[in-house]
Amino acid sequence: MLAGLHLENLLPYSSWILNLILYFSHLGIGLGVAVREYGKLSNLDKFYFSFPGEVLMRMLKLIILPLIISSMITGVAALDSNVSGKIGLRAVVYYFCTTVIAVILGIVLVVTIKPGVSQKADEIDRMGSTPEVSTVDAMLDLIRNMFPENLVQACFQQYKTKRETVIITNEVDKNGTIPTEEPITMVMPTETLENKTTEYKIVGMYSDGINVLGLIVFCLVFGLVIGKMGEKGQVLVDFFNALNDATMKIVQIIMWYMPLGILFLIAGKIIEVEDWEIFRKLGLYMATVLSGLAIHSVVILPLIYLIIVRKNPFRFAIGMAQALLTALMISSSSATLPVTFRCAEEKNHVDKRITRFVLPVGATINMDGTALYEAVAAVFIAQLNDLELDIGQIVTISVTATAASIGAAGVPQAGLVTMVIVLSAVGLPAEDVTLIIAVDWLLDRFRTMVNVLGDAFGTGIVEKLSKKELEQMDVTSEVNIVNPFALETTMLDSEETETKKSYVNGAFAIDKSDTVSFTQTSQF
């Protein structure tokens, strides 16, 4: 019975799927609260309970790699090198400007509301451990990952460096003598301790996770190259176009499982939370972050879109509703990317040449919500420790939060690692990041939603600014295919063209190679 149905008819992409996700989200909240109160599940039972949600996350992560590779290569190959450069520059400028605005907004709110003044760091329970991060090493690792040693390894691992303390041992010197050990002396309280320099060495290692930045750089160059190869590269372009279409079909299938997966994702997370009292203690801090995210997503981003595109930004945002809801539930902008593509292209009708080029880059470097969150968290921790930040330190927080958010991978809770970088830049205790870990899982979902919304608005804005270039490319491609006089000049210059006239229609000698112009003439 189903054999005669096409996949498009079987799996329509309609608004009722969005409604289904909304219903199941509310059902997940109710189920989580009920099981938490009356279920009394063990840790093992909680793990098994969340299994359907884990399957959804694995499905979405599975599709990230082929989607990024195919969309980036086909998007860049479809553009002229000059056009792709202009589009890329506009996208980066938009991302940078919105990130800076988000950081400034966060700092203004946290300085005005002062959520940490009425509390002390000792009053808040710490949770988790502090990631060991060096600012310089993290920035250098970001550049290293842009140029992966092994393309296959970049599909599942990222490169990172770690500092290890060098242990000085007794070694034989050049003269062959072994230095004698210094006698051990007891240090009395009245004696002053001498400063000793600790030596470190850098050790390279790989950590699990897709090196999205390296893949994007490679696909960008690869797409430009095969785009310039003409007919020779067309085979590869067709292959990656087919791969992209097939990937989107798989995404369409995943959409049908998403409501059930989201239900257990939400319920499982509610069951896992052990201390709800921490939300009361950090309530003002959470309100500051959420109000900043709300202002940025409801006022600033739509205003930028309205000024540049001159269209209703809220209608555009409603078209992205399923992607925003997915980002809120799974807290990963990279895993939301398949849904973002579908919403931008099918609901908001953004040019595929723009979405395929802009969205993968945006999911990697555009982190408005993360930048705002890090700026608020840094000033909040300073207020907890009764530290007054001067203008120079606030500027440092702004610059560091902007740079660190760009380096944050689009995976859950990557902001905690970059948070340590921001704290270290202004001399704040890095271990105080453990004060906000308890509520980070909730704030992470909202800032991810803002990140995805910023990416989506970026596609509409870049498309508007690049409208002339896209129309010029369309006209050029049509002329190359349709124009019957495209080869006329070269044909007139060659004497051989005069001998190619082989048959006569009426009074006109017609060249075999000019069948298009003959057809048009005969119609006249």
Side-chain angles (χ1 to χ4, degrees), residues 96-112 292 295-296 300 368 371-376 379 394-395 397-399 401-402:
F96 179 77
C97 292
T98 55
T99 303
V100 170
I101 293 173
V103 171
I104 295 174
L105 173 63
I107 290 179
V108 169
L109 286 175
V110 73
V111 170
T112 305
I295 294 173
H296 189 72
I300 294 177
D368 297 349
L372 187 148
Y373 157 80
E374 290 175 352
V376 172
V379 179
I394 291 178
V395 172
I397 289 176
S398 305
V399 175
T402 303

Side-chain angles (χ1 to χ4, degrees), residues 38-51:
Y38 306 106
K40 306 299 180 183
L41 300 181
S42 63
N43 290 332
L44 191 60
D45 294 334
K46 293 177 183 178
F47 178 78
Y48 290 144
F49 183 84
S50 304
F51 178 73

Side-chain angles (χ1 to χ4, degrees), residues 344-510:
E345 294 175 0
E346 298 189 11
K347 290 289 186 180
N348 291 326
H349 308 290
V350 181
D351 195 312
K352 289 186 177 182
R353 290 172 293 182
I354 298 295
T355 58
R356 293 181 180 184
F357 182 72
V358 173
L359 283 180
V361 178
T364 307
I365 68 172
N366 184 35
M367 301 287 176
D368 297 349
T370 303
L372 187 148
Y373 157 80
E374 290 175 352
V376 172
V379 179
F380 171 71
I381 290 175
Q383 292 172 353
L384 286 177
N385 290 278
D386 292 329
L387 297 177
E388 291 289 337
L389 298 176
D390 55 26
I391 298 298
Q393 289 176 310
I394 291 178
V395 172
T396 303
I397 289 176
S398 305
V399 175
T400 313
T402 303
S405 65
I406 294 174
V411 297
Q413 296 185 343
L416 282 179
V417 177
T418 54
M419 187 72 247
V420 175
I421 298 176
V422 178
L423 294 177
S424 302
V426 290
L428 294 171
E431 60 272 11
D432 281 358
V433 75
T434 56
L435 297 172
I436 58 177
I437 289 180
V439 297
D440 183 74
W441 68 271
L442 182 61
L443 297 178
D444 188 27
R445 298 171 186 274
F446 287 97
R447 66 176 184 254
T448 302
M449 185 170 65
V450 175
N451 294 341
V452 172
L453 182 62
D455 298 342
F457 276 128
T459 59
I461 291 172
V462 173
E463 182 189 35
K464 176 65 176 180
L465 296 176
S466 308
K467 189 175 182 180
K468 291 183 179 180
E469 287 86 350
L470 294 174
E471 290 178 349
Q472 185 178 0
M473 286 183 61
D474 293 336
V475 172
T476 304
S477 61
E478 289 176 1
V479 167
N480 291 336
I481 296 173
V482 176
N483 186 13
F485 306 105
L487 301 177
E488 183 178 1
T489 55
T490 58
M491 293 172 65
L492 292 175
D493 292 339
S494 177
E495 294 180 357
E496 297 178 359
T497 57
E498 298 295 326
T499 62
K500 289 183 180 180
K501 297 176 181 178
S502 57
Y503 61 96
V504 176
N505 182 4
F508 298 94
I510 305 300

